[in-house]
Amino acid sequence: MNTMKNNSNPLMKTGQTFPLSIKRLGINGEGIGFYKRQVVFVPGALPGEEIQVEITKVFPNRAEGKINKIKKAAKNRVTPLCPIYETCGGCQLQHLAYASQLKEKRDIVVQAFERYTKIQKNELPISKTIGMEEPWAYRNKSQFQVGRNNDTIIAGLYSSNSHKLINIDHCLVQHEDTNIVTNTVKQIIRDLNLSVYNERKRTGSIRTIVVRTAFRTDEIQLVLVTATESLPKKDLFISEIKKRLPQVTSFVQNVNDEKTSLIFGEKTEGVFGKDTITEHLGDLSFELSARAFFQLNPQQTLKLYDEVKKQAKLTGKEKIVDAYCGSGTIGMWLAKDAKEVRGMDIIKESILDARKNAEKHGISNALYEAGKAENLLPKWLKEGWRPDVIVVDPPRTGCDQTFLDTVAKIKPKRMIYVSCNPSTLAKDVHMLISKGFEVEQVTPVDMFPQTSQVEAVCTLVLK
């Protein structure tokens, strides 16, 4: 299929080399340059650099290349701290100084608005990116695939350019506890000669080591994902975990015997300790089970939620809708400054969690219902309940079109859109502008330093 594509661009061909000036960063952290007015994406290249590029893939309207030589390096280029940075692929921006990462992430959001909306660059009310004081060791959860390399047990991520498992002994963006627990579990698997899952042959047992740590309580949960119902040498394994990892407060087994890239299967059961660990965000506390979603960077989550609160401009009289509410975290963050919060989610278990969380914290002005926002909002409106503020934190794919149509009909005074994908944010904003809203504020938030990902809090108000 690519052969046709390769022949359909008269300007460039695979293997061709030429000088290229890098102008910006793309959404995946790659450098962007232009050759005869056509865009060329180059991983690892930075804005302001002059490089010799070699074309690796050609498409009708763009090309991808690799750096052959850096003729003029950017002043903010730094040596990555991680020794396996380039082979792992989990981070994309370690070679860029952190202050510059924050500037470029802001520009990635600006580019999305330039591309998908009619707002001019100088008219977009966008703040500086909210960053971290210490942009390392921030992730509270690791999920490393397990494999064998001769007699060695390895665990890590698949390389971004191949299906080769890269062993990670010390990930610099992970909380140190997750590194310690993962390495000790690898050692126990090797010492006990336990069977490891072979993806190609679909044989063996242990597939994935998942470790989550609670920053505030220091509780640690270990989840072992196996392809078999039974945990190999279970009693020996448990006694070694207890002996070598007394800090583990929750040990859980999850069974996934499917041929899939998904980490978890449907069956989960406790091995020892509690079924959950407790984490705090500000004054709120949450019980986290093995498969419960929780933000991966708790320190930045506080800043993200505070930015939502700031942009909501609450006076205590507002009725708020927390759409796609999950276990209710954002709505509960706002509840004490609002008159009432109503949340909805299509996942019933999330709604049960949200109700439990609200009850536990004595939040009496929150109501949670399972269902789609586009069904519940009109129902509530008929009952005479109209929200002043709608907060939405959708998946990467953005908001459902029928949800956006419903928001346009309900006409809240303000809508706060928390996004993890600038492209879908800008597309959805373009649609809402056509329905009578305007952008009041956009604030990028760096939830994942050293990577190309950027979140944004965007507030729209009725004209």
Side-chain angles (χ1 to χ4, degrees):
M1 213 168 133
N2 270 355
T3 324
M4 281 175 67
K5 286 181 177 177
N6 284 349
N7 294 337
S8 60
N9 190 328
L11 298 177
M12 287 176 274
K13 60 180 190 288
T14 306
Q16 185 179 350
T17 62
F18 49 83
L20 191 69
S21 301
I22 304 300
K23 304 294 184 191
R24 305 177 100 162
L25 277 192
I27 201 156
N28 298 309
E30 68 280 69
I32 294 177
F34 294 89
Y35 177 74
K36 295 183 180 174
R37 302 178 85 172
Q38 285 211 352
V39 69
V40 183
F41 296 102
V42 189
L46 295 175
E49 293 190 327
E50 304 288 337
I51 67 165
Q52 183 79 13
V53 67
E54 180 183 329
I55 298 302
T56 52
K57 280 185 191 169
V58 177
F59 303 91
N61 59 351
R62 70 187 193 283
E64 292 172 14
K66 65 178 182 182
I67 300 171
N68 258 1
K69 187 183 179 187
I70 298 174
K71 293 176 166 180
K72 179 190 155 202
K75 289 185 180 126
N76 48 13
R77 178 178 278 276
V78 294
T79 304
L81 290 181
C82 177
I84 57 164
Y85 168 58
E86 290 187 9
T87 50
C88 166
C91 298
Q92 301 80 38
L93 295 179
Q94 274 195 34
H95 61 297
L96 179 62
Y98 188 58
S100 300
Q101 288 183 32
L102 298 178
K103 280 183 192 162
E104 294 302 335
K105 289 189 182 194
R106 180 184 184 273
D107 187 59
I108 286 170
V109 178
V110 170
Q111 283 181 64
F113 276 83
E114 280 178 347
R115 187 170 181 188
Y116 297 111
T117 77
K118 291 176 181 165
I119 304 171
Q120 299 301 307
K121 185 178 177 178
N122 58 351
E123 289 173 2
L124 185 69
I126 183 166
S127 315
K128 289 180 178 176
T129 307
I130 296 173
M132 293 190 79
E133 290 74 36
E134 187 50 58
W136 301 97
Y138 59 80
R139 282 182 67 105
N140 60 6
K141 184 181 183 184
S142 62
Q143 300 183 142
F144 287 170
Q145 309 301 319
V146 182
R148 260 186 200 279
N149 187 1
N150 300 322
D151 288 338
T152 311
I153 297 295
I154 61 172
L157 303 174
Y158 289 109
S159 170
S160 52
N161 302 318
S162 72
H163 201 61
K164 185 187 175 196
L165 189 61
I166 304 294
N167 186 52
I168 302 172
D169 281 329
H170 186 251
C171 178
L172 295 172
V173 296
Q174 285 290 154
H175 188 291
E176 188 53 23
D177 284 350
T178 68
N179 288 320
I180 291 165
V181 172
T182 303
N183 286 331
T184 306
V185 172
K186 279 196 294 195
Q187 191 61 43
I188 293 170
I189 293 169
R190 195 181 78 105
D191 291 350
L192 297 180
N193 196 21
L194 302 181
S195 93
V196 169
Y197 183 68
N198 182 311
E199 191 185 33
R200 198 166 44 81
K201 297 179 184 170
R202 295 196 67 192
T203 56
S205 180
I206 297 171
R207 286 180 83 136
T208 314
I209 300 166
V210 182
V211 184
R212 176 147 58 183
T213 182
F215 278 44
R216 288 268 297 276
T217 63
D218 294 328
E219 292 182 345
I220 296 173
Q221 183 172 65
L222 165 64
V223 185
L224 214 59
V225 181
T226 60
T228 53
E229 292 274 338
S230 60
L231 194 59
K233 299 183 184 173
K234 185 174 180 176
D235 292 342
L236 266 175
F237 195 89
I238 289 170
S239 68
E240 287 303 313
I241 293 283
K242 285 181 172 175
K243 188 164 65 183
R244 301 192 211 181
L245 291 167
Q247 65 269 49
V248 169
T249 54
S250 170
F251 181 17
V252 175
Q253 181 191 2
N254 174 271
V255 180
N256 183 357
D257 59 1
E258 301 290 318
K259 190 176 170 54
T260 173
S261 58
L262 296 174
I263 300 286
F264 290 113
E266 290 304 311
K267 186 178 175 186
T268 306
E269 57 182 47
V271 179
F272 73 72
K274 302 191 300 174
D275 288 339
T276 60
I277 58 172
T278 306
E279 181 58 297
H280 295 269
L281 278 181
D283 298 334
L284 305 177
S285 68
F286 299 91
E287 301 298 315
L288 306 177
S289 59
R291 294 179 64 193
F293 169 78
F294 194 70
Q295 293 278 5
L296 292 167
N297 184 340
Q299 293 158 289
Q300 285 298 89
T301 301
L302 292 173
K303 294 182 189 175
L304 180 78
Y305 289 177
D306 279 342
E307 184 60 29
V308 171
K309 187 182 276 192
K310 185 174 146 193
Q311 292 191 32
K313 295 183 177 172
L314 301 175
T315 64
K317 295 174 185 170
E318 290 79 10
K319 288 180 272 192
I320 298 175
V321 161
D322 180 6
Y324 299 80
C325 72
S327 55
T329 41
I330 292 182
M332 280 184 252
W333 201 256
L334 305 174
K336 67 173 182 284
D337 297 309
K339 184 180 179 183
E340 187 183 355
V341 173
R342 291 191 181 187
M344 75 280 284
D345 202 290
I346 54 169
I347 299 164
K348 286 178 186 168
E349 290 81 1
S350 293
I351 291 299
L352 293 173
D353 282 348
R355 286 174 184 163
K356 270 188 219 158
N357 285 331
E359 191 181 344
K360 181 173 77 174
H361 293 102
I363 297 168
S364 56
N365 61 337
L367 173 110
Y368 293 98
E369 276 194 47
K372 291 185 172 181
E374 53 268 30
N375 298 334
L376 289 169
L377 283 170
K379 174 179 162 256
W380 293 340
L381 192 63
K382 270 186 192 165
E383 292 165 2
W385 194 88
R386 182 191 290 274
D388 303 294
V389 180
I390 293 179
V391 181
V392 63
D393 184 4
R396 283 191 70 75
T397 46
C399 292
D400 191 283
Q401 183 61 47
T402 47
F403 168 73
L404 293 174
D405 291 337
T406 307
V407 169
K409 283 180 195 142
I410 299 279
K411 293 193 173 3
K413 289 173 196 157
R414 65 182 45 231
M415 176 173 173
I416 301 169
Y417 191 136
V418 182
S419 166
C420 58
N421 183 341
S423 299
T424 53
L425 167 66
K427 286 177 191 172
D428 289 350
V429 164
H430 178 66
M431 186 268 174
L432 288 162
I433 287 171
S434 73
K435 301 287 186 180
F437 288 85
E438 63 183 355
V439 176
E440 181 181 82
Q441 175 68 39
V442 182
T443 304
V445 182
D446 189 20
M447 298 293 284
F448 300 101
Q450 320 307 331
T451 78
S452 57
Q453 283 180 269
V454 57
E455 305 249 338
V457 181
C458 175
T459 295
L460 297 116
V461 291
L462 275 177
K463 280 184 190 170

